[in-house]
Amino acid sequence: MQEMISFLSLQYILIGVVVGFISGFFGIGGGTVVVPAMMLFGYDIKYAIGISIMQMIFSSIFGSFVNFKNKMLDVAPALVLGFGGFCGALSSGFIVSYFSSKFLLGTLILVQIINLIKLFKTPTEPAGKANESKILLFIVGLAVGAVAISVGIGGSVFVMPILISFLNYDIKKAVSTGLFFVIFSSSAGFLSLAAHGLVHYDIGVLLGLGSLAGVYAGVKTSHKIGKKAQKRWMIALISVILCITVRKFLTVV
């Protein structure tokens, strides 16, 4: 029995390493991976979301620190965006408790489809100077924080296409800003979900600890890879996760 528990703990840590790499490389929270993975382990989507959000806190803080040390993160506008995300994400516990698992899964599928469409249309090179309006950044953060955390993702997959397509951000800067945004959205989401009893702390810690090693490697790789290649990998990742989520949606009563 003890050996089985140790094996499961190792599995969660290894999943955390993989998710951490993906988080650092793509600048996302990793919920698009963790939520389906936890559901494959038998967790209801609501608890899978809680585990996912807790893991994001670990990976986003450490990944953003690595980005900052490498001068890839502009903190001032990212703070405004993050504060908006924090305010929006505070409502996530109510949303997750109120709506059914089927509805949340359907929402997650819709989110992923929108991400794919946006990524296909998003250019890799900015056409001019980035728009860093504090009002716009706060509104974007507020809306994304409320919607994204409620379906178990940090919101960066929403934030990055908006930053690139509408606010003219460079893709590398958008990736680092997106990961920084996850710190705020996931922290607020964690507080809200924990208050509603939807967090398995032990699993979240195991995933979070594993993600620390992965996110460092992911961030370093992200700094080295070309912009077009990074975009292609991002499209491939979301496509795979979308297929897994649709399959699970069809089996939920």
Side-chain angles (χ1 to χ4, degrees):
M1 187 65 169
Q2 187 174 357
E3 290 180 359
M4 184 177 293
I5 293 173
S6 299
F7 178 70
L8 283 173
S9 297
L10 180 60
Q11 281 187 309
Y12 289 129
I13 291 172
L14 290 175
I15 291 172
V17 172
V18 174
V19 171
F21 181 86
I22 292 169
S23 297
F25 182 77
F26 295 110
I28 63 176
T32 48
V33 179
V34 174
V35 173
M38 290 302 98
M39 290 171 63
L40 288 174
F41 272 86
Y43 291 97
D44 179 81
I45 185 175
K46 297 184 180 184
Y47 290 97
I49 289 171
I51 293 169
S52 171
I53 298 305
M54 188 171 181
Q55 172 276 141
M56 288 179 200
I57 297 174
F58 287 79
S59 60
S60 60
I61 290 176
F62 186 60
S64 293
F65 172 75
V66 176
N67 278 324
F68 179 75
K69 292 287 286 184
N70 285 272
K71 303 185 186 304
M72 297 291 288
L73 175 64
D74 190 352
V75 176
L79 277 172
V80 177
L81 181 73
F83 181 66
F86 184 89
C87 293
L90 286 174
S91 64
S92 60
F94 168 77
I95 294 173
V96 171
S97 297
Y98 184 78
F99 292 101
S100 68
S101 296
K102 190 85 170 180
F103 177 84
L104 291 174
L105 271 175
T107 303
L108 185 56
I109 291 169
L110 179 62
V111 167
Q112 291 167 335
I113 291 172
I114 292 172
N115 288 337
L116 282 174
I117 294 172
K118 282 286 187 181
L119 285 170
F120 273 115
K121 293 182 177 180
T122 297
T124 54
E125 295 291 343
K129 187 177 179 181
N131 183 348
E132 296 183 341
S133 165
K134 291 182 174 60
I135 296 175
L136 281 177
L137 286 170
F138 180 82
I139 291 173
V140 168
L142 186 72
V144 172
V147 174
I149 291 297
S150 298
V151 292
I153 59 177
S156 183
V157 286
F158 269 161
V159 166
M160 286 191 295
I162 292 172
L163 291 179
I164 297 168
S165 301
F166 300 104
L167 301 183
N168 220 30
Y169 271 57
D170 176 83
I171 190 170
K172 295 289 185 181
K173 186 176 179 181
V175 168
S176 60
T177 303
L179 188 59
F180 187 77
F181 170 85
V182 175
I183 296 175
F184 295 84
S185 61
S186 61
S187 296
F190 172 75
L191 292 174
S192 184
L193 292 168
H196 287 77
L198 296 173
V199 178
H200 284 291
Y201 298 97
D202 51 346
I203 308 303
V205 168
L206 289 172
L207 287 173
L209 291 175
S211 73
L212 295 180
V215 75
Y216 182 83
V219 168
K220 288 294 186 180
T221 305
S222 174
H223 293 171
K224 295 176 182 178
I225 197 170
K227 296 177 184 179
K228 289 183 179 179
Q230 191 168 23
K231 181 180 175 180
R232 286 196 294 267
W233 278 108
M234 191 177 295
I235 290 172
L237 169 72
I238 296 176
S239 298
V240 171
I241 300 303
L242 176 60
C243 292
I244 294 172
T245 310
V246 169
R247 182 173 177 272
K248 188 65 181 180
F249 176 82
L250 295 175
T251 63
V252 172
V253 179

